Amino acid sequence: MIYKMLFLTIIHLWSIPSAEIKHKKDNSLMVLVPKGEFMMGSTKNTAEPDETPAHITKLDAFYLDKFEVTNAQYDLFLSETGHSRPRFWNDPHLNQPNHPVVGVSFEDASRYANWAGKRLPTEAEWEFSARGTNENEYPWGDEFEAKISGEINHANVAGNTDGFDKTAPVGSFPTGISQFGIHDLAGNALEWVSDWYDENYYANSPIKNPENKNPSNFLGRVLRGGSWKKPPLKVRNTMRYTLLPSLSDNTIGFRCAMTVGQKMSHNNLPWDLNKDGVVDILDLVIVSKHFEMINAPNGDVNKDGIVDILDLVDVANHFGDQIN
């Protein structure tokens, strides 16, 4: 019976393009980006010198915020920590609750990530999340104004033809999502990543899980994704920016990542059914034992009144998560 349920779970998971989790600390949705290999950098004539040479990069699986960190989420962080407000916090064009927080330095973004029990993504993780296994210029394809579902505006960039003069509510461009279902990786807000900037890093970067931890002479950190001030050519998947980590701007925000299996910063997660501190095969066994039971005291992970395949999928999606 257990093996049958596990088989059904695997078949069901195979049909799901990307798993999502709800991170309770900052109320964010996070998308599972699977382990993979891709061509990092660009071979196209649009490439800047620091986007070359293109090179094979291999990454372990990780979670990435589905949306940029919003003002509402950042306000939770401010309330709990007393951290200083970012620049432009009182600008009505930039401070709406569902808009990305901007005016944050690398140091601000790092402190938020630590508070949330997450981290900033590496530059390689960010680029893989944007382009996936293809070599497209943008998360949705090679053409900026490609017609998708009758729509040609896929990102918030310079000008107001997309409907926004400055930042837009996160998730405003559903046709601009990446292969993994992640929003706003082009435009809206530039995003800090964890790497130090080196214009020549690609010539010698490691193949597996690269992250430049050595500051160059410039001492800048990397930013990705372009912003609402940048033209289409400057929000390409491979475009790299840099700035001193102590500086900020009204175009700069961030999103967070989390290593698969990384300890979460909140308690009482429903997937750890036997409360042993890790989501594993033993939790799947508990669900299987109560399969098809109504109002079971254990196993109904999603609380819909019956223990079924959806509960198995929910537990399987969190395999390896360690609970504080």
Side-chain angles (χ1 to χ4, degrees):
M1 180 66 174
I2 291 173
Y3 294 110
K4 181 180 179 181
M5 292 303 102
L6 288 174
F7 176 75
L8 290 173
T9 300
I10 292 169
I11 294 299
H12 191 82
L13 284 171
W14 186 263
S15 68
I16 299 175
S18 60
E20 289 186 8
I21 61 171
K22 178 73 174 290
H23 196 279
K24 298 290 182 67
K25 182 69 173 181
D26 65 353
N27 298 318
S28 62
L29 289 175
M30 302 192 79
V31 173
L32 177 64
V33 180
K35 177 180 180 180
E37 176 181 307
F38 75 110
M39 182 66 72
M40 187 171 182
S42 179
T43 59
K44 301 186 178 182
N45 58 14
T46 53
E48 300 286 346
D50 65 354
E51 298 173 41
T52 63
H55 53 288
I56 294 293
T57 299
K58 299 179 180 181
L59 295 175
D60 291 329
F62 59 96
Y63 289 107
L64 189 71
D65 284 348
K66 187 173 184 176
F67 305 104
E68 293 157 326
V69 173
T70 65
N71 287 306
Q73 291 170 313
Y74 203 80
D75 194 36
L76 286 175
F77 162 66
L78 297 180
S79 298
E80 287 196 15
T81 65
H83 190 75
S84 58
R85 291 179 174 183
R87 296 171 63 194
F88 317 106
W89 189 249
N90 295 320
D91 185 334
H93 299 290
L94 299 168
N95 68 359
Q96 299 306 302
N98 60 348
H99 285 227
V101 64
V102 293
V104 290
S105 67
F106 175 87
E107 293 153 358
D108 294 328
S110 296
R111 288 192 177 100
Y112 176 98
N114 288 335
W115 164 80
K118 304 183 191 180
R119 58 177 175 80
L120 294 180
T122 67
E123 186 173 16
E125 287 174 337
W126 191 99
E127 187 168 318
F128 185 46
S129 299
R131 72 191 315 190
T133 53
N134 59 56
E135 296 182 42
N136 288 340
E137 292 269 55
Y138 302 100
W140 56 88
D142 254 343
E143 297 180 28
F144 184 77
E145 293 187 340
K147 197 167 187 179
I148 303 173
S149 301
E151 180 59 64
I152 61 170
N153 290 313
H154 312 302
N156 179 21
V157 295
N160 58 10
T161 57
D162 51 45
F164 300 96
D165 290 322
K166 292 187 178 179
T167 56
V170 299
S172 292
F173 299 89
T175 56
I177 62 173
S178 74
Q179 174 183 331
F180 303 113
I182 301 170
H183 291 248
D184 303 317
L185 288 164
N188 216 18
L190 269 164
E191 300 177 17
W192 290 109
V193 295
S194 64
D195 296 60
W196 288 98
Y197 176 77
D198 180 346
E199 63 180 350
N200 300 312
Y201 183 63
Y202 286 5
N204 300 296
S205 63
I207 294 176
K208 183 73 179 292
N209 296 324
E211 180 183 9
N212 187 8
K213 298 181 180 181
N214 300 312
S216 65
N217 292 333
F218 175 64
L219 298 180
R221 294 281 187 171
V222 178
L223 301 106
R224 287 302 205 107
S227 74
W228 57 269
K229 273 189 179 179
K230 299 294 183 183
L233 188 62
K234 300 298 185 181
V235 301
R236 294 175 294 106
N237 290 333
T238 53
M239 190 76 191
R240 305 174 74 202
Y241 292 89
T242 184
L243 191 68
L244 294 175
S246 60
L247 299 182
S248 62
D249 183 80
N250 64 359
T251 64
I252 296 175
F254 67 102
R255 74 179 76 218
C256 297
M258 191 168 68
T259 303
V260 173
Q262 178 178 332
K263 286 190 175 184
M264 297 185 180
S265 60
H266 47 89
N267 298 315
N268 302 319
L269 295 183
W271 315 292
D272 182 23
L273 293 166
N274 62 357
K275 307 302 180 187
D276 65 352
V278 64
V279 181
D280 57 16
I281 189 68
L282 298 178
D283 300 298
L284 274 181
V285 169
I286 291 173
V287 175
S288 298
K289 284 182 177 178
H290 295 84
F291 209 69
E292 296 184 346
M293 290 180 62
I294 297 174
N295 296 323
N298 210 348
D300 184 15
V301 179
N302 62 4
K303 306 301 180 186
D304 64 354
I306 186 170
V307 181
D308 57 14
I309 189 69
L310 297 179
D311 300 298
L312 283 168
V313 170
D314 210 3
V315 171
N317 279 342
H318 295 274
F319 252 43
D321 286 352
Q322 298 178 37
I323 315 302
N324 286 335

